[in-house]
Every structure is written in C-alpha cells, then in structure tokens.
Amino acid sequence: MEISDLSKIILMPHVSEKSVMLADNVKQQTFKVASNATKKDVKEAIEKLFDVDVINVNILSVTGKTKVFGRTIGKRKNYKKAYVTLKEGQDVDLGGAS
C-alpha cells in the first residue's frame, strides 16, 4: 500500500482523558479510522506510517449523539475508533516535533 492510501485509513488520533490514560498505563494508542477499515488494514497502516510493531487492534463503531439545537434536532456523525496495542518500549510520535 502507498502512503496516500494509508493516510485514508487512519484519519486522526483520538485524544480524550481515557485515551491519554490508556497511552500511559497500557501502551494503547487510539485513532479515528475510516468507516470501512478492518483490523488488518489498521495494523498495516500503523506499522508502516509510524514504524512500530503492533500487537493487537480492537475496533469500535461509535454512534453519533443526538443533539437538540432550539427546535431543531440534529445528529453527530457516526465514526469508527481503533485501539492499537504496541509492542513494549515503542511509542507513536503524534506531535511530529523533534
């Protein structure tokens, strides 16, 4: 796979209190991924983009919340989230700064 294809699978890192806690304690990174991505696709993309060894990938489909804006009822988009467990001693550099 080419780099442009890999970046279409991994959309962005998912940063929340839970994802930061998982990154510190369990060495799991959390990413928003394409809605048609499989575990195999995510594993290959993470290994090639960040040059790390992936042990396990868990994928979760998140349903968007229903929100009320005055009289209008709206809905946030559905998305997929991937929890990626890395080999001990490895880390994903999300900042890109040296």
Side-chain angles (χ1 to χ4, degrees):
M1 264 187 191
E2 294 182 17
I3 300 256
S4 60
D5 295 336
L6 298 176
S7 61
K8 289 178 184 174
I9 294 172
I10 306 298
L11 302 179
M12 66 178 67
H14 181 79
V15 181
S16 65
E17 288 182 35
K18 180 180 177 180
S19 66
V20 171
M21 182 187 65
L22 285 173
D24 291 340
N25 298 337
V26 191
K27 302 300 181 217
Q28 274 189 344
Q29 299 292 327
T30 310
F31 297 94
K32 282 188 180 180
V33 296
S35 59
N36 60 351
T38 63
K39 289 182 178 186
K40 184 178 177 182
D41 294 338
V42 172
K43 180 177 180 177
E44 185 178 338
I46 294 294
E47 287 179 342
K48 288 187 178 180
L49 283 174
F50 299 106
D51 195 30
V52 293
D53 294 325
V54 174
I55 295 175
N56 189 20
V57 176
N58 293 325
I59 293 184
L60 174 75
S61 294
V62 180
T63 305
K65 292 181 180 179
T66 302
K67 304 294 278 186
V68 178
F69 302 101
R71 294 185 199 174
T72 308
I73 296 177
K75 185 175 178 296
R76 292 184 182 168
K77 291 183 178 180
N78 300 336
Y79 63 94
K80 257 188 182 180
K81 190 167 41 170
Y83 292 100
V84 179
T85 306
L86 301 176
K87 189 175 179 182
E88 189 67 33
Q90 294 188 340
D91 194 21
V92 172
D93 182 23
L94 298 175
S98 318

